[in-house]
Amino acid sequence: MKMCVNFKSDLFKPFLPEESQVNPGRYGAELTYWLSRKLSEKGIITSYPEYEDWGWFIEFTTEEGD
């Protein structure tokens, strides 16, 4: 089962200039690195943050293998 979560926040503003982003307006590196660290603290191990043209993501596998 794949899950997608969309939200807006002022807490994870990009610190690199626009030309350093994956694609214009596709932010999320700061959020995904923060989220993967926080999940790890709770015992949920994820991939390193990765990106595609549409934005950033992390992956994880449940104990059931999903």
Side-chain angles (χ1 to χ4, degrees):
M1 179 173 116
K2 294 190 181 224
M3 181 186 324
C4 179
V5 177
N6 296 304
F7 66 94
K8 290 186 178 192
S9 172
D10 289 333
L11 299 177
F12 302 101
K13 292 187 181 215
F15 56 87
L16 295 176
E18 186 71 28
E19 59 271 6
S20 298
Q21 301 302 322
V22 173
N23 275 325
R26 298 295 180 245
Y27 311 114
E30 293 78 9
L31 169 62
T32 53
Y33 277 98
W34 176 85
L35 183 57
S36 64
R37 283 193 314 270
K38 291 299 182 180
L39 289 171
S40 177
E41 291 172 6
K42 301 290 185 183
I44 301 170
I45 306 305
T46 69
S47 67
Y48 281 103
E50 300 177 43
Y51 61 87
E52 290 287 345
D53 290 340
W54 46 262
W56 288 82
F57 66 96
I58 52 175
E59 296 180 317
F60 75 98
T61 304
T62 65
E63 291 181 10
E64 293 80 29
D66 298 336

